[in-house]
Amino acid sequence: MYYHQALARAMADQGITDVFGVLGDANLYFMEAWERAGGHYVAAAHEGAGVLAATGYASTADKVGVATVTHGPALTNALTALVDATRARMPVLLIAGDTDPQVRGHLQSIDQHSVVQVSGAGWEPATTPQNVATDLARALRRAEAESRPVVLNIPITFQWTDVDYVPAPSASVRHRRTRPDQDALEEATGILAAARRPVVLGGRGARHSREALVALAERLGAPMATSLRGKGLFSGHRHDLGICGTLSHATALATMDRADCVVAFGAALNDFTTAEGSLLRGKRVIHVDTDPARPDLWSSADVGVVGDAGAVADALVELLDEIEHSPTGFADDDLALALKAPRPALRTTHTGGLDVVAVLRRIDEAFPADRTLVVDDGRFILTAYAELGAPHPSAYVHTCSFASIGLGLGNAIGAYAGAPGRPVLAVVGDGGFMSAGLNELNTAVRAGTDLVLVMVNDRAYGAEHVQLVHKGLDPAISTFDWPDFAPVAESLGAHGITVRSLEDLDAALSRVAERDRPVLIDVQVDPYDVPGSFL
């Protein structure tokens, strides 16, 4: 068979079911063969969106997301998405074609290795046509094991080469719940036994270990909090503090201030989670992670424990039982009562316009709790992070690891493919939508994505608007005279709804409940009324 047919077969043998991307000369034939054999291919409008969709898929499906592009400008178009996925530590395989090295002056020729190196993604060049299955398996295995994108680079000259197909073993990485170092466990137990006000903190790295972490927290009598990327890990528990750090509500902040010990599982403890270190000041810190470099990457820990979150939590409970440790009572009935209604009262807007906080709260209450949440970058993000819930860390898709606007919709398309049983609630800004979302709304329609896209539309680049106003300068250069987005959405195959008041919003949510395609809700607000400052 030809190489492109063998690659398609190898993809099927490795269990790849979904691929996102844009076709070109160097990836056209194997994708045609793979889809004809039963694969699900989602054709994006832009290569960056294809990689973003693979990232969203990896977030919700909890396995390697796969994208494909052709050569040259197709790969450079995907660079921002690769950087974001790399910094988010998401396992993504990008199958990229490359030009014929013997064609001098090829207009699309570029040093693709250098492009990939800049992004921080891994580089895996295809070796020979005959090694098609082993090359693919190796790239897949690296993406999963290294938790980052890996680019499998395939010269276009391979496509029509005759090969004898030899299957490769499954690329799946076997994860073992290895028991951590006993000395580290005992040192951590000593700190926990001496603590009077401990807090258990979980990040995305602990997303499969809720029961074990809850058992430890209850054994300690400790409340629980999460990082942003651990959003939803303890959802529904009476002592769930929610997100720890700059996004904490008042009750959570007061509780964290009183704490004397934090035991963190699978969380980076970066400046956002720790409020620039202030929430760890004066506290003993136990940091648990599978990566031995993580405990001291952002914040120094008293004890770093290398191991699986669930295995470490189970081991700590065993040791606490052995010493007959009594729960502290820090997580008491009074705290549970305070956590029943942690949200602050609605504010009064400066101009009397529509309040973004009120809008997002109403959407949060009306939308099904079993959802996938995607939040694009923009001035509104702090409000969206705080007001919108997710049922589990794998149901929250983080798009802000590179602080780029416009990455949300691509992620949302892949996120739904990774978890098709959950509708996707995505929040974007008008600038991000026009930058890199408009061209993918039709992709969401074609892909059958169950998507409600809420656009916070202040007709401006909000972060720049607030800075100009703060300096006493005219913000006009940061504003835009956008078209009416509702008919634009309709022309792209979605439903479009314009919201200028809470009454409009209630009517929109009634229509959303009856949706049969993606819905765009254009929430029109005044740029002076959007909370969140980037000064």
Side-chain angles (χ1 to χ4, degrees):
M1 66 177 66
Y2 292 119
Y3 178 91
H4 68 268
Q5 296 169 323
L7 178 55
R9 181 171 170 182
M11 291 166 64
D13 286 350
Q14 291 294 341
I16 296 173
T17 57
D18 298 80
V19 176
F20 311 87
V22 177
L23 297 180
D25 294 350
N27 65 344
L28 173 64
Y29 298 109
F30 71 79
M31 284 307 301
E32 187 278 336
W34 178 77
E35 187 183 44
R36 181 159 38 85
H40 177 226
Y41 171 61
V42 175
H46 187 273
E47 290 86 357
V51 175
L52 294 170
T55 305
Y57 180 91
S59 296
T60 57
D62 256 339
K63 61 181 181 180
V64 177
V66 182
T68 184
V69 300
T70 188
H71 40 53
L75 182 62
T76 59
N77 280 348
L79 185 59
T80 295
L82 279 174
V83 174
D84 186 79
T86 298
R87 295 188 177 182
R89 302 182 73 199
M90 297 305 300
V92 171
L93 171 66
L94 175 58
I95 305 175
D98 205 346
T99 55
D100 183 345
Q102 295 184 356
V103 177
R104 295 187 61 190
H106 193 300
L107 289 178
Q108 294 190 332
S109 180
I110 193 172
D111 181 356
Q112 299 199 164
H113 186 196
S114 294
V115 172
V116 173
Q117 277 188 312
V118 168
S119 75
W123 172 260
E124 194 61 58
T127 54
T128 68
Q130 192 60 43
N131 288 338
V132 54
T134 54
D135 286 343
L136 177 69
R138 184 172 59 253
L140 275 168
R141 190 175 299 110
R142 282 190 59 194
E144 184 175 359
E146 298 172 19
S147 292
R148 64 167 175 162
V150 170
V151 177
L152 176 60
N153 197 73
I154 303 174
I156 192 172
T157 51
F158 283 16
Q159 297 298 303
W160 291 93
T161 303
D162 281 312
V163 300
D164 295 320
Y165 181 71
V166 179
S170 171
S172 180
V173 177
R174 295 181 63 190
H175 296 285
R176 296 181 175 87
R177 295 175 85 244
T178 54
R179 190 176 181 89
D181 178 74
Q182 189 64 26
D183 289 342
L185 282 174
E186 291 179 0
E187 189 175 355
T189 302
I191 291 174
L192 292 174
R196 293 295 173 262
R197 297 177 299 280
V199 172
V200 172
L201 192 153
R204 179 176 167 82
R207 63 191 179 279
H208 300 304
S209 304
R210 173 187 162 107
E211 291 184 6
L213 267 61
V214 168
L216 174 63
E218 293 178 346
R219 185 69 184 78
L220 291 168
M224 293 156 282
T226 74
S227 66
L228 173 58
R229 297 193 65 195
K231 190 177 182 70
L233 181 60
F234 304 121
S235 179
H237 195 282
R238 65 196 295 261
H239 290 125
D240 176 19
L241 299 176
I243 299 171
C244 176
T246 52
L247 295 168
S248 293
H249 51 73
T251 301
L253 280 176
T255 304
M256 290 299 301
D257 281 341
R258 291 180 59 212
D260 60 4
C261 174
V262 175
V263 53
F265 295 84
L269 293 185
N270 57 32
D271 285 349
F272 300 105
T273 302
T274 67
E276 297 183 343
S278 64
L279 293 181
L280 298 183
R281 201 165 294 133
K283 301 173 177 61
R284 305 298 299 278
V285 177
I286 302 164
H287 197 160
V288 181
D289 204 285
T290 55
D291 183 348
R294 299 288 282 180
D296 289 318
L297 183 61
W298 288 92
S299 305
S300 295
D302 293 278
V303 180
V305 185
V306 179
D308 171 83
V312 173
D314 288 344
L316 290 173
V317 169
E318 290 177 11
L319 289 171
L320 290 168
D321 286 343
E322 287 181 13
I323 63 174
E324 299 182 349
H325 177 69
S326 297
T328 63
F330 188 38
D332 58 13
D333 291 340
D334 289 341
L335 177 59
L337 183 63
L339 290 171
K340 282 188 174 182
R343 289 173 167 174
L346 292 173
R347 66 195 180 95
T348 301
T349 60
H350 297 294
T351 66
L354 197 55
D355 180 18
V356 175
V357 177
V359 168
L360 294 183
R361 282 190 187 178
R362 194 162 296 191
I363 290 172
D364 186 57
E365 293 164 358
F367 204 78
D370 188 19
R371 69 184 70 155
T372 294
L373 176 65
V374 181
V375 180
D376 202 355
D377 196 5
R379 185 182 172 189
F380 58 88
I381 58 171
L382 302 183
T383 304
Y385 289 155
E387 298 295 340
L388 299 175
H392 186 268
S394 292
Y396 165 68
V397 181
H398 191 68
T399 73
C400 195
S401 296
F402 194 25
S404 170
I405 64 172
L407 308 189
L409 187 48
N411 270 281
I413 292 166
Y416 180 72
R422 293 195 303 260
V424 178
L425 175 61
V427 185
V428 303
D430 50 296
F433 180 74
M434 288 296 283
S435 171
L438 176 66
N439 52 347
E440 301 305 335
L441 184 55
N442 181 252
T443 304
V445 172
R446 288 184 285 104
T449 306
D450 187 2
L451 168 70
V452 175
L453 188 68
V454 178
M455 180 196 299
V456 180
N457 181 5
D458 61 3
R459 296 182 177 271
Y461 277 162
E464 289 68 34
H465 185 279
V466 72
Q467 292 184 65
L468 290 168
V469 170
H470 180 76
K471 296 291 187 183
L473 301 173
D474 184 351
I477 61 169
S478 68
T479 63
F480 294 89
D481 184 16
W482 300 126
D484 187 347
F485 285 118
V488 171
E490 295 282 348
S491 71
L492 293 169
H495 284 311
I497 306 172
T498 302
V499 169
R500 296 185 178 89
S501 67
L502 290 179
E503 291 74 21
D504 288 347
L505 179 61
D506 288 338
L509 292 173
S510 296
R511 290 181 60 188
V512 164
E514 306 296 328
R515 68 190 178 279
D516 60 356
R517 68 193 72 178
V519 178
L520 171 68
I521 303 177
D522 178 8
V523 180
Q524 299 197 357
V525 298
D526 191 295
Y528 291 90
D529 274 345
V530 180
S533 173
F534 290 82
L535 301 179

